[in-house]
Amino acid sequence: MDLKYFIESQQVDHLLLYEIFELADRIRQRPFAFAESLKGKVLATLFYEPSTRTRLSFESAMLKLGGQVVSTENAKEFSSAVKGESIEDTARIVSAYADAIVIRHYLDGAAKKAAEASSVPVINAGDGKGQHPTQALLDVYTIYREFGSLCNLKIALVGDLASGRTVRSLCYLLGKVGKNIEFIFVSPQHLKMGQDIKDYLTKHEISFREEEDLSKVLPIADVIYMTRIQKERMSLEEYEQAKGKYVLNMENLGLVRAGARIMHPLPHVEELDFPFDVEQKDLRIAYFREAANGLYVRMALLQMMLKERE
Amino acid sequence: MDLKYFIESQQVDHLLLYEIFELADRIRQRPFAFAESLKGKVLATLFYEPSTRTRLSFESAMLKLGGQVVSTENAKEFSSAVKGESIEDTARIVSAYADAIVIRHYLDGAAKKAAEASSVPVINAGDGKGQHPTQALLDVYTIYREFGSLCNLKIALVGDLASGRTVRSLCYLLGKVGKNIEFIFVSPQHLKMGQDIKDYLTKHEISFREEEDLSKVLPIADVIYMTRIQKERMSLEEYEQAKGKYVLNMENLGLVRAGARIMHPLPHVEELDFPFDVEQKDLRIAYFREAANGLYVRMALLQMMLKERE
Amino acid sequence: MDLKYFIESQQVDHLLLYEIFELADRIRQRPFAFAESLKGKVLATLFYEPSTRTRLSFESAMLKLGGQVVSTENAKEFSSAVKGESIEDTARIVSAYADAIVIRHYLDGAAKKAAEASSVPVINAGDGKGQHPTQALLDVYTIYREFGSLCNLKIALVGDLASGRTVRSLCYLLGKVGKNIEFIFVSPQHLKMGQDIKDYLTKHEISFREEEDLSKVLPIADVIYMTRIQKERMSLEEYEQAKGKYVLNMENLGLVRAGARIMHPLPHVEELDFPFDVEQKDLRIAYFREAANGLYVRMALLQMMLKERE
């Protein structure tokens, strides 16, 4: 498999998906076997939008494979972007210094532009309202690990489905690699899942429906994928209407099936409200395991994209 | 010794203190023996407040032990904190990516919260007006190296004793591990040492007194520990009253005992005013040696907390 | 050769220049022979002004030599500078943590001050309107590689010659190491090359002349060194007068000699306007090769300054 860039979750098919999962599992079991794997290689992380979690997990992944990292924490303010340089030129030049680039950008399509100009592999770590394909990958990996397969699942996506790029990437990916998946979109009227995703699912004969009442969904969903209302991507009025509408807490946790899993791309705010000890003990709460999975999925991806190109 | 987190300087007793000092000395003498010591380990430095000095010295310490570092220079602005994530959640997730966390935060108690949620060792690199225990450790290490013991010393703490967390941490630690120590608190009326520290010293039968006139203290003190008036932690009026009140320069250096030492946690502004060549040659001026000691103390601490947990 | 600090391009003479170039060529050909060269060494990059390109290329250079990096992306805002610390003190303290320092600063002369206070090698990565000597080095290296020698060349420097430190450093260096060089300064009236450079060239008997019309220069120049109008270093009125005055595009590319080279320190904005495929294919366009050369020149420099001091 030759993955030269990873921009959209649709790029991943069955074969590639299980190749990544199998490698992620192997790295998790025998990390020392991979500790020098990317020795001498340098990864550049270019973040035009804040994201400690994603950036640190990519950087740690690279370091734990024996590679090195050069990094810019807020490229928007501190880089040549302020001098008016195009994303293509930045990518072209950075690809002379680094063996791979991870980019997060505030504009849709920025990662694709970077990939086209770069001479080294480029990974999209989130582009505007576009995609966040490694998040989708770790989400699907989490579902796979928690349920043992990607078949016969009811997946409720809850919250801000209009601006959330993680739910978009997840639909694309799970729609493609899952079997007999049903999506239930739970959102306020003004933050509904976009028509492009619905068309995509229809085209691929994946069933979905919309539901406004969360309490109707909790007893039947296998996966409850909560999301944060993204204040920074809407008007204050829209935010006030959506805020607090969908919350999981000790009250409605009782409605959730025994074998179900509560997921969240994190960071969360008020939409999740559990005490620490419940988060530690209740197996249905999967979001910290989900976050931890990110490290292994990203290690697998970097290993594949960098090692195989030697 | 199993130090799972290091939040307050009171955690350190005699035994642990000399274990750290002995290790710091060994690392200083034979750095190459430790050059691969933490190979494969990743340290995360999360700084919610600016501090080049402390951050770079921790990061360099980790790298010189063969470890690696992921870092965020201004977590307050650039991280998930802006999206409303709790410090506990951040710590929990970062502890999935890193083998230890160093945290600086603008709120008292933040490091403790992080330590409670983290699954890996956490070191407090300063929390609001709380503590800065590794600074206390390197200060006491400096006194130990300069005087050969921690007995029979008159320690003058000078300047902003109300908001200075380094002087607080130093009192706690030296009060605990020193023998026959006398503190002299030299500060403006409105920036006096807090009652909690005084109570602590009284309880542990450590003598202290307050003095407003620096010139009375210079001829008798063994250690003159100067501090910066922390403009960013008080009103402008308070700052104007305190600024320039206590200054060490060529004029009053003559009052300082021959064997005494002038220390400062740095950065300094007008409270120290010596020409470069005097700073280089006069043995009484110890603050650059003090800063350099920070590297070895932090190497020793990381080595103990990470190596012994294997 | 013992290069303890590198502040101005005039420091480099013939002998040293070719030593650097020869080492850069060797590193380029056999990177693996140098992959552990600076193992155990730590470089500190202190950037008081934004520059992703220069910072990342220095950091990547250090990492690819087996060394490590501690870094501050915006020292101006996030470091002890906000607390009022002098650049000398910062350099003195950082030199206790790191084996070399790369500094970029917004004030002329800052790198020199840092070098005087530091106990480890210091490299100037740009200081205000002062110099940017490693840029000059990579520019001359590029000319050397593209033309095979530094003799008998007409060099047109185009654009903002008043505030551009790269053109200043280039004149100093090429003036010193080149043979039979002629400079042609092409700039708006209000952004002319400074008198100090003209005096320097006159003193060293290097010919130069001024020309306002770019189209007269294109047919005769061997090197057309374009620069960006540095908006951030002039008034808005001055900027408006200069903007768009000198542009290279498909229209006037036809005027450029077959063997000539178009260079630019990058980032560029409207002064270069070529389609991607032309930039890829037309050999006369050298600015991406120039940027890539920066890695090897900086590797050579770090190798010489750090390795030879052991």
Side-chain angles (χ1 to χ4, degrees), chain C residues 16-295:
Chain C
L16 178 53
L17 186 85
Y18 288 105
E19 202 182 330
I20 296 171
F21 288 0
E22 190 268 345
L23 184 53
D25 283 343
R26 269 200 293 144
I27 292 172
R28 184 195 293 265
Q29 283 151 24
R30 303 183 53 232
F32 294 112
F34 295 86
E36 306 251 305
S37 188
L38 297 185
K39 201 174 170 180
K41 297 273 196 290
V42 174
L43 172 70
T45 56
L46 304 180
F47 276 64
Y48 291 78
E49 260 197 349
S51 173
T52 306
R53 183 185 328 289
T54 303
R55 187 172 60 81
L56 294 192
S57 102
F58 265 115
E59 294 183 6
S60 193
M62 186 66 182
L63 295 171
K64 283 183 173 288
L65 290 167
Q68 291 286 8
V69 175
V70 293
S71 173
T72 180
E73 190 164 3
N74 194 343
K76 193 177 178 179
E77 262 180 61
F78 294 162
S79 79
S80 295
V82 300
K83 299 177 185 165
E85 189 174 57
S86 73
I87 183 71
E88 285 93 342
D89 274 10
T90 300
R92 218 172 307 176
I93 291 159
V94 172
S95 69
Y97 306 150
D99 302 290
I101 297 172
V102 169
I103 186 168
R104 165 163 296 197
H105 204 277
Y106 48 94
L107 294 177
D108 300 20
K112 190 144 187 279
K113 283 185 187 176
E116 282 162 3
S118 165
S119 59
V120 300
V122 171
I123 300 175
N124 181 6
D127 59 333
K129 293 192 184 180
Q131 287 212 18
H132 188 0
T134 62
Q135 180 69 45
L137 216 48
L138 78 89
D139 286 342
V140 175
Y141 180 59
T142 301
I143 295 170
Y144 177 74
R145 282 182 65 87
E146 300 283 334
F147 291 92
S149 88
L150 300 173
C151 308
N152 307 322
L153 293 163
K154 281 190 174 42
I155 316 270
L157 303 179
V158 184
D160 177 359
L161 305 185
S163 23
R165 58 192 166 199
T166 63
V167 288
R168 297 174 59 82
S169 284
L170 183 57
C171 283
Y172 277 125
L173 184 57
L174 204 49
K176 188 165 178 181
V177 297
K179 279 227 166 90
N180 194 22
I181 300 291
E182 186 192 347
F183 286 108
I184 309 168
F185 300 145
V186 185
S187 71
Q189 283 296 329
H190 64 297
L191 295 175
K192 281 190 168 184
M193 178 61 80
Q195 191 58 42
D196 56 338
I197 299 287
K198 292 179 187 168
D199 290 346
Y200 175 88
L201 295 175
T202 303
K203 193 183 148 196
H204 288 79
E205 302 186 346
I206 298 144
S207 65
F208 65 91
R209 60 189 174 93
E210 297 185 307
E211 174 63 70
E212 243 194 284
D213 185 353
L214 179 59
S215 68
K216 285 189 189 161
V217 172
L218 293 184
I220 56 161
D222 299 295
V223 173
I224 300 148
Y225 191 96
M226 302 293 291
T227 65
R228 184 175 62 88
I229 307 298
Q230 302 202 36
K231 200 176 177 176
E232 67 273 27
R233 299 193 199 275
M234 64 188 70
S235 72
L236 190 61
E237 199 195 333
E238 288 175 314
Y239 177 67
E240 292 299 337
Q241 277 174 40
K243 196 194 156 197
K245 190 169 165 71
Y246 300 116
V247 175
L248 277 186
N249 51 28
M250 294 309 288
E251 265 177 79
N252 57 9
L253 179 62
L255 297 176
V256 176
R257 286 188 47 229
R261 292 294 182 265
I262 298 166
M263 294 175 62
H264 194 297
L266 301 179
H268 76 78
V269 277
E270 84 286 338
E271 71 273 10
L272 294 173
D273 186 20
F274 297 113
F276 182 54
D277 64 317
V278 172
E279 289 182 324
Q280 294 289 91
K281 284 182 207 157
D282 194 314
L283 261 182
R284 292 173 296 180
I285 294 180
Y287 41 82
F288 288 118
R289 295 194 296 279
E290 182 186 357
N293 284 336
L295 182 68

Side-chain angles (χ1 to χ4, degrees), chain B residues 113-124:
Chain B
K113 283 185 187 175
E116 282 162 2
S118 166
S119 60
V120 299
V122 171
I123 299 176
N124 181 5

Side-chain angles (χ1 to χ4, degrees), chain A residues 72 78-79 85 89 92 97, chain C residues 50 52-53 60 73 268 279:
Chain A
T72 180
F78 296 160
S79 79
E85 188 175 58
D89 273 10
R92 217 173 308 175
Y97 306 150
Chain C
T52 306
R53 183 185 328 289
S60 193
E73 190 164 3
H268 76 78
E279 289 182 324

Side-chain angles (χ1 to χ4, degrees), chain A residues 46-217:
Chain A
L46 304 180
F47 276 64
Y48 292 78
E49 261 196 348
S51 172
T52 306
R53 182 185 328 289
T54 303
R55 187 173 59 82
L56 294 193
S57 102
F58 265 114
E59 294 183 5
S60 192
M62 186 65 180
L63 295 172
K64 283 183 173 288
L65 290 167
Q68 291 286 8
V69 175
V70 292
S71 173
T72 180
E73 189 164 4
N74 194 342
K76 193 177 179 180
E77 264 180 59
F78 296 160
S79 79
S80 295
V82 300
K83 299 177 184 164
E85 188 175 58
S86 73
I87 184 70
E88 285 92 342
D89 273 10
T90 300
R92 217 173 308 175
I93 290 160
V94 172
S95 69
Y97 306 150
D99 301 290
I101 296 171
V102 169
I103 186 168
R104 165 161 297 195
H105 204 278
Y106 48 95
L107 293 177
D108 300 20
K112 190 148 188 279
K113 282 185 187 175
E116 283 162 2
S118 165
S119 59
V120 300
V122 170
I123 300 176
N124 181 4
D127 60 332
K129 292 191 183 180
Q131 286 212 19
H132 188 0
T134 63
Q135 179 70 44
L137 215 50
L138 77 89
D139 287 340
V140 175
Y141 179 60
T142 301
I143 295 171
Y144 176 75
R145 281 182 64 88
E146 300 284 333
F147 292 92
S149 89
L150 299 173
C151 307
N152 306 322
L153 294 164
K154 280 190 173 44
I155 315 272
L157 303 178
V158 184
D160 177 359
L161 305 185
S163 23
R165 59 192 167 199
T166 63
V167 290
R168 296 174 60 82
S169 283
L170 184 57
C171 282
Y172 277 124
L173 184 57
L174 204 49
K176 188 166 180 182
V177 298
K179 279 227 165 91
N180 195 23
I181 301 290
E182 186 192 348
F183 286 108
I184 309 169
F185 299 144
V186 186
S187 71
Q189 284 295 330
H190 64 296
L191 295 174
K192 281 189 167 185
M193 180 60 81
Q195 191 57 43
D196 56 338
I197 299 288
K198 292 179 188 169
D199 290 347
Y200 176 88
L201 295 174
T202 303
K203 194 184 148 196
H204 288 80
E205 299 185 349
I206 297 144
S207 66
F208 66 90
R209 59 188 174 92
E210 295 184 308
E211 175 62 70
E212 243 194 285
D213 185 353
L214 179 60
S215 67
K216 285 189 188 162
V217 173

Side-chain angles (χ1 to χ4, degrees), chain B residues 164-179:
Chain B
R165 59 193 166 198
T166 63
V167 289
R168 297 175 59 82
S169 283
L170 183 57
C171 283
Y172 276 126
L173 184 56
L174 203 50
K176 189 167 179 182
V177 297
K179 279 228 164 90

